[in-house]
Amino acid sequence: MIDIQDVIMQRLGQLEEDGADEYEMEFEILTQDNLGIIQFFDDDVLLGTEFVETHVSLQREDLLDDYLDAYEDGFVTIIVPDDAYFETVEHIKNELDEAADIYSYSALGIRPTPMAS
């Protein structure tokens, strides 16, 4: 299982390097689903949400509802493990009709580490 906390920390570091630190960013790790969520705010206004997925979190039943709910409030970005990218793109793009940007870990330079046993 992927260490989602490590992946989130890598992503937050990237965002800061890319200048996104001009926005307020809040993150949450849902350990039950092994899912990370980053939200972007400007003066307390929600701009968008990044879902940092794992193989475990991609199996949750309310996945599409989560994306659609987030899309009502701003942009949606979905980051998935490399080997789940093409399947996720096919599934999500058909359902969301281009409403979300989807990236693989390696496309963003994220190197996932396994959870410590």
Side-chain angles (χ1 to χ4, degrees):
M1 187 163 36
I2 293 171
D3 183 346
I4 191 63
Q5 183 170 347
D6 179 61
V7 172
I8 285 286
M9 292 300 124
Q10 287 182 58
R11 183 63 181 146
L12 289 170
Q14 290 174 337
L15 290 166
E16 288 179 15
E17 287 177 13
D18 292 344
D21 57 351
E22 68 185 73
Y23 302 107
E24 181 183 342
M25 291 181 279
E26 295 179 4
F27 74 93
E28 179 178 10
I29 296 172
L30 305 174
T31 54
Q32 176 181 336
D33 293 324
N34 204 31
L35 168 67
I37 298 173
I38 303 171
Q39 292 184 309
F40 300 83
F41 296 88
D42 188 17
D43 293 327
D44 295 326
V45 175
L46 179 61
L47 301 174
T49 304
E50 280 193 359
F51 292 87
V52 183
E53 301 281 359
T54 64
H55 294 97
V56 173
S57 66
L58 286 169
Q59 302 304 313
R60 66 188 191 284
E61 290 181 23
D62 54 355
L63 176 97
L64 290 174
D65 291 336
D66 290 347
Y67 300 156
L68 289 169
D69 289 347
Y71 185 67
E72 290 177 13
D73 296 324
F75 69 82
V76 172
T77 302
I78 303 163
I79 303 169
V80 299
D82 292 352
D83 61 351
Y85 177 76
F86 291 109
E87 181 180 339
T88 302
V89 167
E90 185 177 310
H91 179 68
I92 301 300
K93 291 290 185 179
N94 287 339
E95 296 295 327
L96 297 183
D97 193 35
E98 306 295 322
D101 291 321
I102 304 171
Y103 299 97
S104 67
Y105 287 178
S106 64
L108 298 175
I110 294 172
R111 293 186 179 93
T113 55
M115 293 274 289
S117 303

